[in-house]
Amino acid sequence: MPRVKRGTKARRRRNKILERAKGFVGGRQLYRQGRETLEKGLTYAYRDRKVRKRDFRRLWIVRINAAARAAGLSYSDLICGLKRAGVDIDRKILAEMAVNEREAFDTLVGLAKSKLAA
């Protein structure tokens, strides 16, 4: 069996890591530390893509709750009333309406109040 020299494969693998570690500070541009930092960063990136969705949902709920309370209704009552009314608007759009389109949001609040009273 012929002898295989693995220099090019190893160098390519290392260069791929070092290329992605470009811009790192200090010894993190060296292969070993750069690889460790890069793996950690990719782990955080993967995790935080999931966390970002949670964070935005929390932000939307806070905004909807503040606007609903200003209109005399709690967040849970608003959502319950909208569900009973058959209004299918997600929290992202509701939060956007609460901030930028107050009249439309107040209309939805009135609809939710009427369905809660019934």
Side-chain angles (χ1 to χ4, degrees):
M1 193 167 231
R3 175 173 167 242
V4 177
K5 296 170 71 177
R6 296 169 29 123
T8 54
K9 291 278 189 190
R11 187 169 57 251
R12 274 199 198 126
R13 189 178 65 241
R14 287 188 208 111
N15 282 342
K16 200 170 15 172
I17 299 233
L18 288 173
E19 186 65 33
R20 294 187 76 178
K22 197 180 260 185
F24 289 1
V25 177
R28 291 167 189 233
Q29 285 185 321
L30 301 175
Y31 175 70
R32 184 173 179 173
Q33 231 180 335
R35 189 193 67 207
E36 291 168 358
T37 305
L38 189 68
E39 286 172 359
K40 193 79 155 178
L42 291 173
T43 303
Y44 288 146
Y46 176 78
R47 180 198 69 192
D48 289 340
R49 280 194 295 275
K50 314 281 182 268
V51 171
R52 182 180 354 163
K53 293 164 182 61
R54 281 179 247 158
D55 286 345
F56 270 109
R57 186 179 171 96
R58 284 175 57 196
L59 174 68
W60 297 331
I61 288 172
V62 166
R63 287 180 176 172
I64 294 166
N65 190 22
R69 286 188 185 277
L73 208 58
S74 71
Y75 168 79
S76 59
D77 287 338
L78 173 68
I79 295 298
C80 181
L82 289 176
K83 281 195 193 303
R84 286 183 185 173
V87 177
D88 289 332
I89 297 180
D90 62 2
R91 284 158 181 81
K92 179 181 177 181
I93 302 302
L94 266 177
E96 185 69 27
M97 288 173 71
V99 173
N100 295 325
E101 299 173 29
R102 196 57 191 212
E103 310 83 39
F105 185 79
D106 288 339
T107 306
L108 288 176
V109 169
L111 181 65
K113 278 182 180 177
S114 67
K115 288 297 177 178
L116 282 174

